[in-house]
Amino acid sequence: MRITQVKLSHLSMKLRSHFETSFGRSYERDCLLIEAFSEGICGYGECVADRDPGYSYETVGTAWHILKDFLIPAVLNRDLEDSHEFQGSVAHVRGHPMAKAGLEMALWDLIGKGAGCSLKTLLGGVRQQVEVGVSVGLQDTPQLLVRQVSSYLNQSYGRIKIKIKPGRDVGDARAVRRAFPDIRLQVDANSAYTLETAAVLYPLDQLGLLLIEQPLAEDDLWDHSQLQEHFTTPLCLDESILTPRHARQALEMKACKVINIKAGRVGGISQAVAIHDLCRAQGVPVWCGGMLETGVGRAANLALASLPGFTLPGDISASERYYTEDITQERFSLNPDSTIEVPKAPGLGVTIDQKALESVTIATTTIRG
Ligand code: OSB
Ligand code: MG
């Protein structure tokens, strides 16, 4: 694959309903669409950096800069056979995993389209449908939260994740558990506690949760290992795992028993697969996290989640949970058994709705060799 031109588009998409986490509330979701051209074929990639540096230090602004000034010039007009060669050619850029992952996704789409092969097949996926759940943001009251969860259960979601933050943790989780004693339920704190303040979370251990996601700081594997000793419920790390090495060290340290894998957070699908392989070899369950992706990133997540080690439901909900109008012609819908179909067409298996794309694009630039 010889990429001769790359177009970046900054998208801002209105969410159907606001999404609130411990780091803030959003009404829109920003991201970058990457279009990489090679011999008349266009490969699409989605960079999941958001407008604000809340979940991670990366933003659409930093990713735009890193892609335009460093990553894209490093790959233009070079022969790249695979993701391994891609990672080699961007290894001199420290950090910025979401920027790298967006460009790597576009390369995967090109490779798949060139070979007439779906991303699922390229990665060695083993499932045609993947089990999914829904991530429910903080609501104004526990009553509204229970109502929101009830509506998702009625839509057939078989696993619910609720966001928690200090002051809205055990009470919210208890309210949902009382209303729905048997559902598969988990919580996500997005790094809102310290080892000391996390003591208020101990009663969560009595609620039969699947897991407790990222209670402590991103850069704090050690304190997670201390906290895990207080829980029989598995801790799951999201923000803390940025490389396969972090995954290995977290498991060695017993800082978690489950890992949430997001290709964006770890620098690309190739790195996500490496973490999957490492966890699978040790019998550690993983699941595919989400970043409120458009249809482009959602297609990639579905292919990734079709790998055999993804044994827990992913945060990959139906398109309509996020947006009234998506940028792909394909819509992902929920089956009655809480699964979503993995795309079968070459590459990511999606096509762009140009009119919809235009309506959400706020800036573009094209970089040529
Ligand atoms: O922590 O998993 C998270 C969305 C944005 C940033 C971080 C997270 C999330 C979600 C949403 O939980 C998952 C989804 O895409 O449905
Ligand atoms: Mg999370």
Side-chain angles (χ1 to χ4, degrees):
M1 279 300 150
R2 202 179 177 85
I3 297 172
T4 49
Q5 185 178 319
V6 180
K7 180 177 180 188
L8 293 180
S9 302
H10 176 173
L11 315 186
S12 184
M13 293 175 54
K14 198 174 166 354
L15 291 165
R16 282 188 70 164
S17 49
H18 66 77
F19 188 68
E20 185 171 337
T21 64
S22 63
F23 55 81
R25 178 181 283 201
S26 341
Y27 294 87
E28 294 96 29
R29 190 238 176 198
D30 286 21
C31 68
L32 299 180
L33 179 72
I34 296 158
E35 296 169 77
F37 298 90
S38 173
E39 291 159 24
I41 314 177
C42 175
Y44 297 104
E46 176 169 348
C47 169
V48 297
D50 204 346
R51 196 191 61 188
D52 302 330
Y55 168 79
S56 121
Y57 65 81
E58 288 186 89
T59 65
V60 279
T62 69
W64 182 280
H65 164 53
I66 295 293
L67 278 158
K68 177 170 77 64
D69 296 329
F70 302 102
L71 300 176
I72 293 168
V75 302
L76 276 179
N77 294 322
R78 287 181 63 165
D79 279 310
L80 296 177
E81 278 303 311
D82 53 25
S83 60
H84 183 78
E85 289 187 7
F86 169 82
Q87 290 290 335
S89 52
V90 300
H92 61 287
V93 176
R94 191 186 298 273
H96 301 282
M98 292 176 179
K100 286 180 186 169
L103 189 54
E104 200 204 73
M105 191 190 298
L107 179 66
W108 279 108
D109 193 27
L110 279 174
I111 292 171
K113 284 169 172 164
C117 195
S118 70
L119 181 59
K120 167 186 175 265
T121 305
L122 288 178
L123 299 179
V126 294
R127 283 184 275 265
Q128 199 43 66
Q129 298 86 24
V130 300
E131 249 197 293
V132 304
V134 60
S135 173
V136 186
L138 286 153
Q139 305 294 313
D140 289 336
T141 64
Q143 292 71 29
L144 283 170
L145 173 64
V146 169
R147 199 180 304 169
Q148 184 65 258
V149 168
S150 166
S151 135
Y152 285 126
L153 293 170
N154 287 334
Q155 293 168 40
S156 300
Y157 284 104
R159 189 229 65 190
I160 301 290
K161 159 167 138 182
I162 64 168
K163 293 289 189 179
I164 58 170
K165 68 174 182 180
R168 297 294 304 280
D169 39 44
V170 175
D172 277 31
R174 270 199 192 119
V176 174
R177 182 47 97 208
R178 282 211 185 107
F180 309 105
D182 301 321
I183 60 166
R184 294 209 275 176
L185 180 64
Q186 62 195 53
V187 298
D188 186 359
N190 286 111
S191 306
Y193 299 83
T194 64
L195 189 55
E196 291 70 36
T197 62
V200 301
L201 301 178
Y202 295 165
L204 290 177
D205 219 20
Q206 266 67 60
L207 297 181
L209 303 178
L210 284 177
L211 54 88
I212 298 168
E213 186 176 344
Q214 196 70 40
L216 309 180
E218 159 183 343
D219 59 356
D220 204 348
L221 285 185
W222 176 252
D223 280 356
H224 276 104
S225 76
Q226 302 301 108
L227 186 64
Q228 177 68 84
E229 291 185 16
H230 293 272
F231 286 96
T232 49
T233 308
L235 296 188
C236 167
L237 291 176
D238 174 355
E239 286 91 324
S240 289
I241 306 297
L242 299 173
T243 62
R245 190 173 58 247
H246 286 163
R248 173 178 61 75
Q249 293 172 351
L251 295 174
E252 281 177 8
M253 241 186 253
K254 299 186 172 27
C256 65
K257 295 178 178 169
V258 176
I259 291 179
N260 164 335
I261 300 184
K262 293 177 181 169
R265 194 194 65 226
V266 303
I269 292 169
S270 61
Q271 304 307 294
V273 171
I275 294 175
H276 159 274
D277 293 350
L278 179 141
C279 290
R280 186 163 183 243
Q282 299 188 35
V284 173
V286 302
W287 54 285
C288 182
M291 293 292 289
L292 312 176
E293 284 87 351
T294 72
V296 172
R298 194 162 310 285
N301 285 347
L302 287 163
L304 180 65
S306 74
L307 293 176
F310 284 83
T311 54
L312 289 168
D315 273 350
I316 314 173
S317 308
S319 309
E320 63 161 29
R321 178 254 179 272
Y322 307 92
Y323 306 107
T324 34
E325 192 177 42
D326 205 336
I327 62 165
T328 53
Q329 251 137 14
E330 296 73 16
R331 287 307 185 101
F332 297 100
S333 52
L334 188 69
N335 297 322
D337 61 352
S338 195
T339 63
I340 297 184
E341 304 296 318
V342 181
K344 290 192 186 72
L348 295 173
V350 291
T351 49
I352 297 294
D353 176 339
Q354 292 297 341
K355 244 187 85 201
L357 173 61
E358 263 171 48
S359 72
V360 296
T361 300
I362 58 181
T364 64
T365 187
T366 297
I367 300 110
R368 293 182 186 85

